[in-house]
């Protein structure tokens, strides 16, 4: 299952929330249990103190009764000690028991009843003891025998038994509740732990899955990259081969085209030589027609005249056209041959002093420019570069020749050459002239083979700039022009600063 | 060329008949009157030079000068050059390579194989005619050995 970045964030947040909820549940259960425990233990303590207060109170009642019985039997005041002691402690203890039931109205009512019962009991005990002290044993015994005291005591015992049992029950209940709470906490903790483990496991799984996807994607990218590089180098090699093939094709074509051309030119020369002999003969034979010539003679003369026209006009004209056409064709083929040779030439990258090279190129046309009062200035600081010397010499020689050839007749020629560094580790050289300029629609055309621009008053085949562009591209650059008709032209040549990188790429 | 009992034969192997005719005319203009035997393909030329059995015995005792074009329809002139220069009966015959190719490796290869002269056909006719005429003058003074 693919995991998107958003899904990863979402699931991570979800897992975090789940884990947090589980933790909160555990903490909540803990807090609840602590409260429960506090309540339970306070209940427990209360029940236990109730119980002990009740037992103590019951003990006091029994002690008092025991003291009374002993004293009534023996009349020995020593037996009155427990009675006196219990009697002294009774009010406080009764208060303790009653206060324990302060917030339990039902029990408090029972306790109030107990106080009455116990007070009555103590009153009965006191009455009997006072009677015994004053020697009226019979009266005292009669009161005892009346069973009033026993009934009171039994009533109190019932209360004690029930209340103690009740306190015991409370203790048991509290313990049971405590145990239930603990049991519940255990389950909450256990389930919470399970949830947390699941959450952590889920998070780890998601992250692992996501990481695996990332690694997978990375590997795919690497494979694609390698493939891309391979394809690029394949295409580059293909291009190189295609280019080589085209160059080779051009070379072969021009060679093979040239062979029949040599024949045409050769036999045209032969024809011309033969024509010489023919003209000599016809010139001698054909005389101007006589005024009194017969019809026959006129016919002969007509034929002779036709032969003369053929020998002196038609044939030389035809031969002339054949000659000029073949010469033109020869020129075109030579131009293609030159271009293909240039393309086949192995480029030799070497350190070039561009400043010196430009100066040499300028010196080559110096006298032509200086004669007409013009000048060439070289500005800028050409960078150090590695390129093919011959190519650069030909490019700038060609451009300067063009500047001279197509200068404006109205003003002395000024050529400004500016060299500098261009983007992408290239050298940019601008050759600016104030010549006759090039019309906008011809800016691209002038770089095409056999195409020329402007008035055709200069000799040329239209290969110079095509050649320059081909050479500029060979050294990893190009040439473009900005020009205004009648004002001047600026040719901008860019080429690689380090030709080795261009050669290495092809 | 030395005019002895057995006159020197010029074997011209050139597939373009126009070129062959122009070459012949210009050689003649230089005053060379030796017999020129033209061939337009390599097979026939080798047949003549090496004989039907290919041993080259037929050329024994002949005085032959070979004018050779490299671009032939059935084989390259290099093959012919190699055969001529490796056969004991023909290896002393001078071979003049006359072709359009000006590739420097090709030129080196021909000399390595034993070509005696390598001439690139000039691209224009005047140059071509001039070169052939000079070659004809050269033929007029050169000595051709008799083959074994």
């Amino acid at each position: 299952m693919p995991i998107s970045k958003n899904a990863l964030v979402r699931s991570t947040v979800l897992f975090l929330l789940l884990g947090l909820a589980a933790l909160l549940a555990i903490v909540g259960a803990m807090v609840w249990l602590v409260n429960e425990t506090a309540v339970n233990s306070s209940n427990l303590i209360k029940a236990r103190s109730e119980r002990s207060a009740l037992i103590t109170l019951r003990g006091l009642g029994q002690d008092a009764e025991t003291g009374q019985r002993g004293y009534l039997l023996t009349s020995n005041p020593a037996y009155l000690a427990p009675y006196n002691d219990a009697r002294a402690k009774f009010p406080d203890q009764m208060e303790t028991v009653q206060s324990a039931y302060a917030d339990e109205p039902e029990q408090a009512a029972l306790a109030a009843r107990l106080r009455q019962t116990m007070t009555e009991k103590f009153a009965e005990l006191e009455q009997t003891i006072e009677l015994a002290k004053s020697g009226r044993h019979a009266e005292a015994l009669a009161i005892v025998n009346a069973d009033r005291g026993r009934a009171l005591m039994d009533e109190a015992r019932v209360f004690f038994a029930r209340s103690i049992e009740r306190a015991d029950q409370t203790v048991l209940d509290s313990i049971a509740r405590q145990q239930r709470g603990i049991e519940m906490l255990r389950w909450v903790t256990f389930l919470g732990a399970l949830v947390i483990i699941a959450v952590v496991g889920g998070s780890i799984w998601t992250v692992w899955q996501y990481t695996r996807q990332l690694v997978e994607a990375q590997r795919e990218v690497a494979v694609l990259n390698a493939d891309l590089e391979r394809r690029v180098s394949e295409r580059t090699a293909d291009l190189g081969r295609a280019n080589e093939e085209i160059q080779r094709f051009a070379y072969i074509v021009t060679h093979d085209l040239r062979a029949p051309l040599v024949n045409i030119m050769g036999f045209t020369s032969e024809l011309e030589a033969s024509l010489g002999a023919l003209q000599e003969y016809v010139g001698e034979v054909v005389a101007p027609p006589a005024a009194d010539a017969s019809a026959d003679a006129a016919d002969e003369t007509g034929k002779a005249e036709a032969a003369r026209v053929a020998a002196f006009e038609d044939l030389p004209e035809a031969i002339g056209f054949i000659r000029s056409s073949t010469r033109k064709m020869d020129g075109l083929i030579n131009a293609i041959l030159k271009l293909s040779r240039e393309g086949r030439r192995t480029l030799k990258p070497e350190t070039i002093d561009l400043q010196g090279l430009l100066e040499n190129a300028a010196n080559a046309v110096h006298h032509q420019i200086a004669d007409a009062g013009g000048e060439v200035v070289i500005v800028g600081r050409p960078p150090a570069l590695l390129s093919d010397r011959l190519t650069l010499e030909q490019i700038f020689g060609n451009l300067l020749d063009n500047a001279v050839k197509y200068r404006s007749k109205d003003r002395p020629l000024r050529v400004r050459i500016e060299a500098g560094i261009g983007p992408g580790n290239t050298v940019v050289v601008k050759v600016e002239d104030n010549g006759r300029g090039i019309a906008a629609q011809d800016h691209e055309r002038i770089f095409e083979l056999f195409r020329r621009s402007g008035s055709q008053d200069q000799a040329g085949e239209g290969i110079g700039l095509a050649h320059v562009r081909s050479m500029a591209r060979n050294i990893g650059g190009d040439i473009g022009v900005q020009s205004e008709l009648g004002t001047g032209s600026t040719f901008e040549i860019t080429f690689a600063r380090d030709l080795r990188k261009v050669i290495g790429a092809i | 060329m030395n005019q002895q009992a057995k006159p020197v034969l010029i074997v011209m192997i050139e597939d373009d008949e126009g070129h062959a005719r122009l070459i012949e005319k210009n050689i003649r203009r230089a005053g060379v009157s030796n017999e020129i035997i033209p061939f337009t393909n390599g097979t026939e030329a080798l047949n003549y030079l090496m004989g039907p059995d290919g041993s080259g015995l037929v050329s024994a005792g002949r005085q032959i000068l070979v004018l050779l074009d490299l671009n032939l329809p059935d084989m390259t002139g290099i093959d012919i050059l190699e055969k001529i220069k490796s056969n004991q009966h023909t290896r002393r015959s001078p071979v003049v390579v006359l072709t359009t190719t000006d590739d420097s490796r090709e030129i080196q290869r021909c000399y390595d194989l034993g070509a005696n002269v390598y001439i690139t056909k000039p691209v224009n006719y005047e140059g071509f005619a001039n070169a052939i005429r000079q070659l004809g003058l050269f033929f007029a003074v050169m000595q051709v050995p008799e083959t074994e």
Side-chain angles (χ1 to χ4, degrees):
Chain A
M1 180 187 73
I3 300 171
S4 72
K5 200 174 168 187
N6 279 345
L8 177 79
V9 171
R10 270 205 302 274
S11 65
T12 307
V13 168
L14 184 70
F15 281 132
L16 274 177
L17 286 177
L18 276 175
L20 192 64
L23 268 177
L24 282 178
I26 292 171
V27 169
M30 286 284 242
V31 170
W32 173 81
L33 185 73
V34 167
N35 275 334
E36 190 77 349
T37 307
V39 170
N40 278 344
S41 55
S42 79
N43 281 352
L44 207 61
I45 289 165
K46 193 164 162 264
R48 290 204 75 92
S49 62
E50 257 173 52
R51 195 177 186 273
S52 78
L54 285 167
I55 285 169
T56 308
L57 190 57
R58 190 176 64 182
L60 287 179
Q62 282 168 346
D63 285 355
E65 200 176 38
T66 307
Q68 178 227 23
R69 303 264 165 91
Y71 182 68
L72 287 184
L73 278 177
T74 61
S75 299
N76 185 352
Y79 281 100
L80 279 179
Y83 165 77
N84 286 332
D85 192 35
R87 197 181 141 82
K89 282 175 181 169
F90 169 72
D92 278 354
Q93 193 60 33
M94 192 63 229
E95 197 56 42
T96 308
V97 170
Q98 270 190 310
S99 70
Y101 295 126
D103 43 2
E104 285 166 284
E106 207 180 313
Q107 201 64 23
L110 288 174
R113 174 103 180 88
L114 178 68
R115 172 182 277 272
Q116 222 179 321
T117 311
M118 289 294 279
T119 310
E120 263 183 59
K121 174 71 182 170
F122 271 100
E124 188 242 26
L125 290 175
E126 193 178 3
Q127 195 187 357
T128 54
I129 287 167
E130 287 307 315
L131 285 174
K133 270 184 183 170
S134 57
R136 290 144 70 179
H137 271 279
E139 272 179 65
L141 283 175
I143 289 170
V144 172
N145 276 335
D147 267 353
R148 169 98 181 114
R150 195 168 62 92
L152 284 172
M153 199 59 195
D154 283 347
E155 196 188 323
R157 275 207 185 88
V158 168
F159 171 81
F160 282 126
R162 279 191 190 151
S163 291
I164 286 168
E165 198 187 337
R166 191 173 162 275
D168 282 348
Q169 193 56 46
T170 307
V171 168
L172 284 177
D173 283 355
S174 293
I175 289 169
R177 269 179 71 183
Q178 185 70 15
Q179 265 169 352
R180 273 202 309 278
I182 287 168
E183 191 68 12
M184 204 174 133
L185 179 69
R186 182 182 297 150
W187 277 106
V188 168
T189 310
F190 179 65
L191 288 176
L194 274 185
V195 169
I196 288 174
I197 285 170
V199 162
V200 169
S203 298
I204 288 174
W205 182 82
T206 312
V207 168
W208 182 69
Q209 201 73 357
Y210 187 68
T211 311
R212 224 179 50 167
Q213 272 177 37
L214 279 184
V215 169
E216 187 68 23
Q218 227 167 17
R219 201 165 40 218
E220 260 172 49
V221 166
V223 168
L224 282 179
N225 251 349
D227 194 47
L228 195 67
E229 265 169 37
R230 188 180 54 77
R231 285 215 305 259
V232 165
S233 65
E234 261 177 26
R235 298 272 153 87
T236 314
D238 282 353
L239 275 181
R241 269 201 299 278
N243 191 36
E244 218 167 84
E245 239 163 65
I246 288 173
Q247 306 279 14
R248 177 120 197 97
F249 173 77
Y251 187 75
I252 288 172
V253 162
T254 47
H255 261 87
D256 290 3
L257 283 180
R258 220 208 267 142
L261 200 61
V262 167
N263 279 343
I264 297 173
M265 293 169 91
F267 286 104
T268 308
S269 292
E270 296 296 324
L271 212 54
E272 224 168 13
S274 316
L275 187 63
L278 196 64
Q279 282 174 340
E280 215 170 293
Y281 173 72
V282 173
E284 269 174 24
V285 169
V286 178
D292 56 346
S294 66
D296 260 12
D299 190 41
E300 272 306 304
T301 314
K303 278 185 191 166
E305 178 59 19
R308 199 188 63 80
V309 170
F312 285 95
E313 289 168 30
D314 294 347
L315 280 175
E317 189 189 28
I319 289 170
F321 274 115
I322 293 174
R323 261 189 180 281
S324 66
S325 297
T326 48
R327 193 166 289 124
K328 191 168 178 192
M329 193 166 163
D330 193 42
L332 299 183
I333 290 173
N334 280 341
I336 300 175
L337 189 64
K338 194 175 159 197
L339 278 183
S340 85
R341 273 219 188 100
E342 187 54 42
R344 280 155 61 86
R345 199 168 66 76
T346 313
L347 299 176
K348 272 181 287 190
E350 56 182 302
T351 312
I352 306 262
D353 167 22
L354 191 57
Q355 182 77 29
L357 191 143
L358 292 171
E359 277 166 12
N360 281 344
N363 285 340
V365 291
H366 176 74
H367 65 277
Q368 284 170 279
I369 295 177
D371 282 354
E375 60 170 356
V376 178
V377 284
I378 301 170
V379 297
R381 290 189 58 80
L385 60 117
L386 271 168
S387 197
D388 185 73
R389 176 177 298 281
L390 191 59
T391 301
L392 289 177
E393 281 172 357
Q394 287 184 351
I395 287 175
F396 294 114
N398 225 305
L399 288 175
L400 286 171
D401 278 346
N402 275 355
V404 172
K405 220 161 144 184
Y406 302 109
R407 65 179 178 266
S408 174
K409 301 282 179 283
D410 314 331
R411 50 183 176 262
L413 176 64
R414 301 219 178 279
V415 181
R416 184 173 177 277
I417 304 177
E418 188 181 343
I421 300 173
N425 207 17
T426 54
V427 182
V428 180
V429 184
K430 288 183 183 173
V431 181
E432 187 183 347
D433 65 48
N434 60 349
R436 68 190 208 188
I438 302 156
Q441 72 269 16
D442 286 338
H443 284 185
E444 232 359 82
R445 225 174 132 266
I446 51 168
F447 296 110
E448 288 172 18
L449 195 57
F450 305 140
R451 299 283 175 273
R452 304 178 75 204
S453 160
S455 59
Q456 303 291 308
D457 55 354
Q458 296 287 335
E461 283 144 339
I463 61 166
L465 286 175
H467 189 203
V468 168
R469 172 164 273 185
S470 151
M471 287 190 291
R473 287 179 176 169
N474 274 347
I475 56 171
D478 207 343
I479 181 170
V481 71
Q482 286 180 319
S483 179
E484 205 177 308
L485 194 59
T487 311
S489 312
T490 305
F491 287 89
E492 187 176 309
I493 306 105
T494 57
F495 54 94
R497 257 183 92 173
D498 188 347
L499 183 60
R500 289 171 304 182
K501 285 181 184 148
V502 178
I503 294 173
I506 294 173
Chain B
M1 245 173 257
N2 52 346
Q3 309 291 319
Q4 290 170 6
K6 278 184 183 167
V8 175
L9 291 173
I10 298 176
V11 173
M12 179 167 61
I13 310 170
E14 164 69 66
D15 67 321
D16 187 316
E17 288 179 68
H19 280 204
R21 188 82 187 98
L22 289 174
I23 290 168
E24 193 180 339
K25 273 178 179 275
N26 284 291
I27 287 176
R28 293 276 179 254
R29 277 183 195 134
V32 174
S33 57
N34 300 54
E35 188 186 349
I36 297 176
I37 308 170
F39 293 100
T40 56
N41 62 64
T43 317
E44 280 176 29
L46 277 180
N47 233 347
Y48 176 81
L49 288 169
M50 300 299 169
D53 56 352
S55 64
L57 258 177
V58 288
S59 291
R62 281 176 180 166
Q63 275 177 289
I64 292 174
L65 184 144
V66 181
L67 251 179
L68 180 62
D69 184 11
L70 290 186
N71 304 314
L72 297 172
D74 52 350
M75 61 182 75
T76 78
I78 302 255
D79 296 332
I80 298 175
L81 175 65
E82 217 167 358
K83 286 208 169 79
I84 292 173
K85 287 303 177 185
S86 59
N87 186 292
Q88 58 158 332
H89 302 296
T90 55
R91 67 191 155 92
R92 285 199 183 124
S93 297
V95 176
V96 176
V97 177
L98 181 62
T99 189
T100 46
T101 312
D102 61 354
D103 189 276
S104 59
R105 273 168 305 182
E106 202 86 313
I107 297 171
Q108 283 170 5
R109 185 134 177 258
C110 286
Y111 278 114
D112 287 348
L113 287 171
N116 302 77
V117 180
Y118 189 109
I119 297 167
T120 300
K121 283 181 193 165
V123 288
N124 55 32
Y125 174 68
E126 280 78 16
F128 178 83
N130 194 29
I132 303 298
R133 236 168 277 145
Q134 287 181 19
L135 184 65
L137 291 173
F138 174 57
F139 284 173
V141 296
M142 77 185 278
Q143 284 289 340
V144 176
E146 189 174 321
T147 51
E148 288 170 353

